[in-house]
Amino acid sequence: MAVNLLDFDLAQLTAFFAEIGEKPFRAKQVLRWMHHFGESDFNRMSDLAKSLREKLVVMASVEPPRLIKEQLSDDGTRKWLLDVGAGNGVETVFIPEDERGTLCISSQVGCALECSFCSTARQGFNRNLSVAEIIGQLWWANKAMGRDPKGDRIISNVVMMGMGEPLANFDNVVTALNIMLDDHAYGLSRRRVTVSTSGLVPVMDRLRDACPVALAVSLHAPNDALRDVLVPINKKYPLAELMAACRRYIEKAPRDFVTFEYVMLDGVNDSLAHARELIALVRDVPCKFNLIPFNPFPMSGYNRSRPEAVRRFRDELAHAGLIATTRKTRGDDIDAACGQLAGQVQDKTRRTQIRIMESAA
Ligand code: SF4
């Protein structure tokens, strides 16, 4: 079977070319063609020797996931649905803002972590995405969005906040991050690439050592009792451990703060008492808060906090000197808001298998 070169970062591509008897600089050339120019046809990679092009046509491919559908919202938000095989689809979303353009990328088909307010969790878990499937989301979006009149890429930021827990797919996510950051590929700044985790503490340390980028943590609760319900991985890695991991991460991170994501659930985690508890919890962690109005979905059992409750909560944090912004809901007309990056997930049985494997480990 042909090797999909979208699965490789520069180091891996260099090793591949060495194996087939080619010089290391070929890796940079091909990386540039694939990601910088969005080219998938070796015959159009005009600065490669003809003999190499012929060799690559036989033994390799540049194969992003197949594009099923592209949607454009009235507010400029764009969404792509990509086919990742066996009836599964993943979505990626572009959100335009004044100063930047952010692409939200998925890392798994479904998610095994069962956060109680999350629509992805309800769909079950199928599998990790490959590197080509992760970077393929940026590949498609970048091709569609292109560059602005000054020649800068429209996509300036990437957040790994779509479907899945990125740190549960560590190796593939790190390889995809390497490609995003590589000047021969997308050349994104480490400060503009964010990995969002629900708090897999040991893997946060691994990310800090392997590929430090900006970090967001799905916090959603100010105490263990409530977080055990909303984000059940908290039972394994409780808040004290999570806060310590955040402090360790910041020591090496490109940004000197962690972003805490906090979904606002009416009557559940949005009182002033919760805000005060939160202030005490994060007192030793340089951080910013992103308050997210909940996007209700059928049978979720939760409601969106009232706007005045969100305002009061945010003001309480601000009075304590914390920076807190409220996320605008974008792309509502195409279901592109947080927690609605659903896609299609077949085979929900895998989550049980994973739980068994985890408890056996
Ligand atoms: S919130 Fe994130 S980690 Fe939790 S179930 Fe949803 S996708 Fe998974």
Side-chain angles (χ1 to χ4, degrees), residues 70-237:
E70 179 175 359
Q71 283 173 281
L72 176 61
S73 162
D74 291 343
D75 64 11
T77 305
R78 272 175 196 249
K79 186 164 79 167
W80 296 268
L81 176 64
L82 302 174
D83 178 7
V84 290
N88 293 304
V90 293
E91 291 174 340
T92 186
V93 172
F94 172 76
I95 303 153
E97 287 169 293
D98 291 345
E99 301 284 310
R100 63 189 170 191
T102 303
L103 190 71
C104 180
I105 286 183
S106 299
S107 55
Q108 298 181 307
V109 184
C111 186
L113 290 190
E114 301 186 302
C115 299
S116 61
F117 58 87
C118 172
S119 73
T120 297
R122 297 292 168 92
Q123 299 182 67
F125 175 74
N126 187 285
R127 66 174 174 84
N128 285 332
L129 291 178
S130 68
V131 176
E133 289 165 339
I134 297 170
I135 205 69
Q137 297 169 60
L138 178 55
W139 191 91
W140 273 115
N142 190 57
K143 247 172 123 72
M145 302 308 303
R147 291 174 184 268
D148 65 17
K150 285 190 286 178
D152 295 329
R153 284 184 200 282
I154 302 276
I155 296 171
S156 59
N157 293 53
V158 168
V159 292
M160 301 222 52
M161 285 184 191
M163 193 191 277
E165 162 57 61
L167 296 189
N169 185 12
F170 184 79
D171 290 343
N172 290 350
V173 164
V174 166
T175 302
L177 292 174
N178 287 339
I179 299 169
M180 291 175 204
L181 301 173
D182 197 309
D183 283 340
H184 299 286
Y186 300 95
L188 291 169
S189 150
R190 281 182 193 278
R191 298 161 58 84
R192 290 173 172 265
V193 175
T194 302
V195 167
S196 173
T197 179
S198 56
L200 302 190
V201 165
V203 198
M204 288 165 67
D205 289 333
R206 284 178 68 200
L207 181 69
R208 177 200 59 177
D209 295 337
C211 188
V213 290
L215 182 73
V217 171
S218 297
L219 194 58
H220 308 311
N223 60 60
D224 283 320
L226 181 55
R227 196 163 190 268
D228 283 353
V229 175
L230 297 178
V231 187
I233 195 71
N234 193 71
K235 292 179 201 156
K236 197 163 181 185
Y237 305 114

Side-chain angles (χ1 to χ4, degrees), residues 263-274:
V263 65
M264 299 294 295
L265 302 166
D266 183 33
V268 175
N269 65 354
D270 64 349
S271 71
L272 282 181
H274 289 123

Side-chain angles (χ1 to χ4, degrees), residues 6 11 35 43 67 70 85 118 122 152 156 191 199 242 278 298 301 307 316 323-324 345:
L6 280 187
H35 298 289
N43 284 317
L67 179 63
E70 179 175 359
C118 172
R122 297 292 168 92
D152 295 329
S156 59
R191 298 161 58 84
L242 180 58
L278 203 51
E316 190 68 18
I323 296 172
V345 183

